[in-house]
Amino acid sequence: MKEPPSAATKIDFWQRLSRNRALLLLLSLLLFLLIWQMLVIVLNLPGFILPSPAEVGRKFLSVLSTGLLWRHFSSTLGEILLGLLIGISAATLLGYALSKSPLAERLLSPFLVGSQSIPMVAVAPLLVIWFGPGLLSKVLICSLTVFFPVLINTLVGLRDVPPELREVMRSLRATPAQMLRYLEIPAALPVFLGGLRVGASLSVIGAIVGELVASDRGLGFLINVGRGQYDTALVFVAVICLVVLAASLYGLVLLLENKVLSWQTWRKEA
Amino acid sequence: MPSPSEIALQVSDLEVTFIDSDGTLEVLDKLNFSIARNAFVCIVGPSGGGKSTLLRAVAGLIQPNGGKVLFPGESESKPQTGLVFQKPNLFPWRTLRENISLPLEIDHRPDAEISRLTQEMIHLVGLEGFEKAYPHELSGGMAQRVAIARCLVQDPEILLLDEPFGQLDALTRERMGDELLRIWNEQRKTVLMVTHSIPEAIFLADRVLVLTSRPARVIMDLPITLPRPRTDAMRYLPEFTEASRLLHEQLKGSTAPAN
Ligand SMILES: Nc1ncnc2c1ncn2[C@@H]1O[C@H](COP(=O)(O)OP(=O)(O)OP(=O)(O)O)[C@@H](O)[C@H]1O
Ligand SMILES: [Mg+2]
């Protein structure tokens, strides 16, 4: 007995579709926009409550063409990149130093754990009071948000370096610098990059929180402006830009992980 | 007794005591023995008796609480000891080749020399074709051979082997033993090897030392006079059986009272 050819091709089509992730993503996006547009039409909502996708698209093109969007986008991006740079470097250095000194780690760890539960939203106004509404306070908020996950993961990653591999290095008469280069960095990298992945997404939130508190530029500022003028489409444009920004940062770290940890691919398969 | 210049390793009055939360643990107590250059010496003893600790102390990984580890024929150019651990302890992010070349990289050798020596070692342990494999892709026996190659590539005077074939099946184990003898013969090293297997010790060694359980001391120093090269047929010689009986009795005696 042979299956009817039409059924076979049908199955084939669905299988191929479910394997093509880019196409699936596009489809779900289109579906989402469709439902959104339908909702606006059916419920007959005014634009300042829920703008239609078409309105948002028009808004996007207009702020893009005037250069307004790029000005604010680039300033948020700058804050995030600076914040990431400072936060990651400080956290990595401190993490390495602490991993070499168990006493210091034990002294500091209550603060580290405690500071993780402080909501950044609550600290942001303080930092704005201390460091002004300019770039500095945003960069600080952003680097603080990145700092803790990266620090914790650096510590955990270094602490979990297999002691027997340390012994191998010692039996090969490795210097501390060689220990770092040949053992500690590669061994701690998977956990470290995990922290970076969390930190990179959080950094976007950090920058926006800072901008929402007080600022005269950035996507957060744009959101404030849109809200003040009942220009909800503008708010949507800013939010979508933020989502794209956060997703790209996340994707970048993922890309880095895949590149650096290629030897680990078997783990994902298993 | 070999003359002092022929002695490769001298352990005198070696004492190691571990201190932890529930008191002190005397592992080695005034341990004494010496090993002639190019000799193959095996150590057998009860589990947890301090054999690994002894090798670690000889390799300089533990500071002894008393006594000395001496290398009389000291040469400046070569490292004294190379240690193969009880587990292969390979670096999972390094390929087979990169695992073997690690000691040379640490030693800042020129690239050309690194790749030449590494290739020689891969050939010696018979792992050609697997150069780019990662440790998780290797069998237990292959991983252990990589660990041995990583040790040999440093060209140490004294090879310290800690149950290198412990996790292998009997047949692979015998084949690895043969390979080890071949390498030892080609490279003319001094070998100090810990093993749990009495037949393996007799088959490989010139001398077998029996340690007591904690604190470890040498209670028997048995010369094995079987001719070399050793062959499988020798396993059935009366000499082999007699050595086996002696070692077995000593081991039983050394384990019973302590536990
Ligand atoms: N770093 C350490 N700190 C504290 N105790 C240790 C340490 N290393 C080993 N010991 C203890 O010393 C004793 C001897 O250990 P060792 O590993 O030398 O035994 P072994 O003879 O190699 O045993 P096995 O044949 O099972 O490998 C054990 O009781 C062990 O618990
Ligand atoms: Mg042991």
Side-chain angles (χ1 to χ4, degrees), chain B residues 46-53 55-56 86 162-163 194 196:
Chain B
S47 181
K51 304 180 298 296
S52 297
T53 306
L55 288 198
R56 279 191 163 82
Q86 214 160 334
D162 194 352
E163 292 180 45
V194 171
H196 269 144

Side-chain angles (χ1 to χ4, degrees), chain B residues 121-188:
Chain B
M121 275 308 139
I122 291 171
H123 176 72
L124 187 73
V125 295
L127 286 172
E128 289 114 328
F130 295 95
E131 286 90 345
K132 293 199 174 75
Y134 285 95
H136 69 266
E137 298 165 317
L138 304 175
S139 73
M142 290 161 87
Q144 202 52 264
R145 274 185 279 171
V146 176
I148 292 171
R150 177 178 63 189
C151 176
L152 285 172
V153 81
Q154 318 163 62
D155 196 16
E157 303 261 346
I158 303 172
L159 274 181
L160 305 170
L161 307 169
D162 194 352
E163 292 180 45
F165 315 138
Q167 286 144 356
L168 308 181
D169 66 274
L171 269 180
T172 316
R173 202 175 168 130
E174 281 180 18
R175 229 189 27 246
M176 293 282 296
D178 289 337
E179 271 182 57
L180 181 60
L181 281 183
R182 180 176 56 79
I183 292 167
W184 170 67
N185 202 37
E186 273 175 32
Q187 309 235 326
R188 279 289 129 195

Side-chain angles (χ1 to χ4, degrees), chain B residues 79-133:
Chain B
Q80 285 304 323
T81 57
L83 177 58
V84 177
F85 294 79
Q86 214 160 334
K87 288 186 291 170
N89 289 345
L90 302 181
F91 288 50
W93 53 87
R94 290 186 151 241
T95 61
L96 183 149
R97 174 197 295 281
E98 291 165 344
N99 265 288
I100 296 178
S101 66
L102 179 66
L104 302 173
E105 290 172 48
I106 288 175
D107 202 28
H108 301 293
R109 304 285 184 88
D111 284 349
E113 191 183 334
I114 290 181
S115 70
R116 182 176 56 80
L117 290 175
T118 307
Q119 200 50 50
E120 274 177 30
M121 275 308 139
I122 291 171
H123 176 72
L124 187 73
V125 295
L127 286 172
E128 289 114 328
F130 295 95
E131 286 90 345
K132 293 199 174 75

Side-chain angles (χ1 to χ4, degrees), chain B:
Chain B
M1 243 344 217
S3 76
S5 66
E6 287 174 296
I7 289 179
L9 167 68
Q10 171 134 30
V11 170
S12 48
D13 291 335
L14 192 66
E15 282 175 48
V16 173
T17 303
F18 290 117
I19 300 167
D20 57 16
S21 48
D22 36 56
T24 62
L25 190 69
E26 218 178 42
V27 179
L28 304 182
D29 178 32
K30 300 227 184 289
L31 201 70
N32 282 292
F33 65 90
S34 59
I35 296 179
R37 186 161 311 287
N38 300 339
F40 197 128
V41 176
C42 278
I43 295 183
V44 293
S47 181
K51 304 180 298 296
S52 297
T53 306
L54 170 63
L55 288 198
R56 279 191 163 82
V58 172
L61 295 177
I62 312 179
Q63 211 48 47
N65 302 75
K68 280 201 187 93
V69 175
L70 295 172
F71 305 99
E74 202 122 16
S75 85
E76 288 298 311
S77 56
K78 277 188 178 182
Q80 285 304 323
T81 57
L83 177 58
V84 177
F85 294 79
Q86 214 160 334
K87 288 186 291 170
N89 289 345
L90 302 181
F91 288 50
W93 53 87
R94 290 186 151 241
T95 61
L96 183 149
R97 174 197 295 281
E98 291 165 344
N99 265 288
I100 296 178
S101 66
L102 179 66
L104 302 173
E105 290 172 48
I106 288 175
D107 202 28
H108 301 293
R109 304 285 184 88
D111 284 349
E113 191 183 334
I114 290 181
S115 70
R116 182 176 56 80
L117 290 175
T118 307
Q119 200 50 50
E120 274 177 30
M121 275 308 139
I122 291 171
H123 176 72
L124 187 73
V125 295
L127 286 172
E128 289 114 328
F130 295 95
E131 286 90 345
K132 293 199 174 75
Y134 285 95
H136 69 266
E137 298 165 317
L138 304 175
S139 73
M142 290 161 87
Q144 202 52 264
R145 274 185 279 171
V146 176
I148 292 171
R150 177 178 63 189
C151 176
L152 285 172
V153 81
Q154 318 163 62
D155 196 16
E157 303 261 346
I158 303 172
L159 274 181
L160 305 170
L161 307 169
D162 194 352
E163 292 180 45
F165 315 138
Q167 286 144 356
L168 308 181
D169 66 274
L171 269 180
T172 316
R173 202 175 168 130
E174 281 180 18
R175 229 189 27 246
M176 293 282 296
D178 289 337
E179 271 182 57
L180 181 60
L181 281 183
R182 180 176 56 79
I183 292 167
W184 170 67
N185 202 37
E186 273 175 32
Q187 309 235 326
R188 279 289 129 195
K189 305 255 174 229
T190 308
V191 176
L192 180 58
M193 171 170 156
V194 171
T195 174
H196 269 144
S197 158
I198 292 176
E200 185 174 85
I202 300 171
F203 186 76
L204 296 174
D206 300 319
R207 252 171 88 202
V208 181
L209 305 180
V210 181
L211 298 192
T212 58
S213 68
R214 267 190 337 261
R217 250 170 299 142
V218 181
I219 46 160
M220 188 182 210
D221 185 343
L222 184 71
I224 308 292
T225 50
L226 293 169
R228 294 195 187 267
R230 304 265 162 98
T231 57
D232 273 335
M234 291 178 192
R235 293 177 191 274
Y236 311 103
L237 291 178
E239 225 181 320
F240 197 102
T241 327
E242 177 59 14
S244 179
R245 191 185 60 79
L246 278 170
L247 289 172
H248 195 246
E249 272 172 10
Q250 269 306 341
L251 256 180
K252 254 162 101 182
S254 75
T255 320
N259 288 341

Side-chain angles (χ1 to χ4, degrees), chain A residues 5 9 16 36 76-77 79 90 104 107 131 148 152 165 174-175 187 205 211 215 224 241 246 261:
Chain A
T9 46
R16 223 181 301 157
W36 178 3
T76 301
L77 184 65
E79 291 161 7
L107 280 174
F131 299 102
F148 290 105
I152 304 272
L165 295 191
T175 62
I205 301 177
E211 286 174 357
S215 66
N224 268 343
C241 284
L261 306 179

